[in-house]
Amino acid sequence: MTGAGQGVGQGIALALASEGADIAVLGRTPAKLEDTCELIRGRGARAEAFACDVADTEAIPALVDQVAETFGGIDILVNNAYSGAYGPLLTLSDRAFQKGFKTGPFAAFAFMKACHPHMKQRGGGDIVNLVTSAMVRWDPSTYGAYAAAKQALKSLTRTAAAEWGVDGIRANAIAPHALSPGLKSWTEAFPEEAEEFRKTIPLGYIGDCEQDIGRAVAALVGPHMRYLTGATVPLDGGQAYFG
């Protein structure tokens, strides 16, 4: 589970732990990783922290091997980590634009390839990649670089589903919308704008990281969804349309 130190990543990790999964908690900030590990252990599951920068894609294969050795295998990969740039296109530097791809689809690609042999050896596995509803907004202004990186990840997800299904590996994407620490700070700082934003969500509320996103991922990787692969599942309360 990459980017598991807080927010949506932590919510997914906790939901999976509640279903009995042991969790490799990956991220850049050791203190946050340990906090997540303690919460997971409180659910009765095993958790180990692995500090890493997903932008360092050359280090990912060895990291994945270390995780597999620690836990005795890998059944589920969740690519949640992303660190990129937001803003109008003319304000974005090439470096900032490229960073979003390095931590997004490039990192996910490296993790997917590195996890493949471990999953195949166990007879299959599940990959869940996090994308965004910004990919389908009629006006993606200020989200262009973010949406571009996530659109690439969506394509990778579909391709992995097509190529690796024979190995028993499913690959799906989710487009979540949840009250992460960053979004929560924004809603508190700009309550009027936040209320207008909330009104655009048909279900009328911003999702909870564990109950609305994490629980959905737990269902997605569970046996009852075994015939679903290559899909992009919107978890945004109906705000965006994925046609």
Side-chain angles (χ1 to χ4, degrees), residues 9-225:
Q10 184 184 78
I12 294 173
L14 291 174
L16 291 174
S18 295
E19 293 297 319
D22 296 329
I23 311 292
V25 180
L26 278 60
R28 291 182 299 178
T29 309
K32 290 183 179 180
L33 301 182
E34 286 300 333
D35 288 343
T36 298
C37 285
E38 287 303 309
L39 291 172
I40 291 171
R41 292 166 188 150
R43 305 288 176 94
R46 180 184 178 187
E48 301 293 342
F50 296 84
C52 67
D53 182 353
V54 299
D56 183 7
T57 55
E58 292 184 359
I60 288 174
L63 173 62
V64 169
D65 288 344
Q66 182 183 0
V67 170
E69 182 178 357
T70 299
F71 287 90
I74 296 173
D75 299 301
I76 300 167
L77 166 66
V78 181
N79 282 305
N80 167 65
Y82 171 84
S83 179
Y86 304 89
L89 296 181
L90 291 177
T91 70
L92 298 177
S93 66
D94 290 350
R95 183 176 182 180
F97 184 76
Q98 291 165 6
K99 182 179 180 181
F101 275 80
K102 287 180 179 178
T103 61
F106 286 7
F109 181 52
F111 274 107
M112 289 161 66
K113 288 196 301 179
C115 285
H116 177 275
H118 296 288
M119 291 181 173
K120 184 178 179 180
Q121 185 179 29
R122 293 170 69 84
D126 283 278
I127 297 169
V128 179
N129 293 325
L130 273 71
V131 293
T132 176
S133 60
M135 300 183 306
V136 296
R137 286 185 181 181
W138 69 271
D139 179 8
S141 297
T142 74
Y143 289 96
Y146 178 53
K150 293 296 187 176
Q151 190 68 258
L153 183 52
K154 177 186 175 183
S155 295
L156 279 176
T157 306
R158 177 65 188 171
T159 304
E163 294 182 355
W164 298 350
V166 68
D167 299 318
I169 298 172
R170 296 191 298 133
N172 291 292
I174 63 167
H177 183 59
L179 199 59
S180 62
L183 184 56
K184 184 177 181 180
S185 296
W186 177 77
T187 60
E188 293 173 350
F190 304 98
E192 292 184 5
E193 293 180 33
E195 177 59 19
E196 290 302 313
F197 179 74
R198 184 194 62 78
K199 291 178 181 178
T200 68
I201 302 173
L203 288 184
Y205 71 98
I206 299 172
D208 179 80
C209 292
E210 180 179 355
Q211 296 303 317
D212 294 308
I213 309 305
R215 298 301 305 168
V217 171
L220 186 61
V221 301
H224 298 301
M225 301 291 280

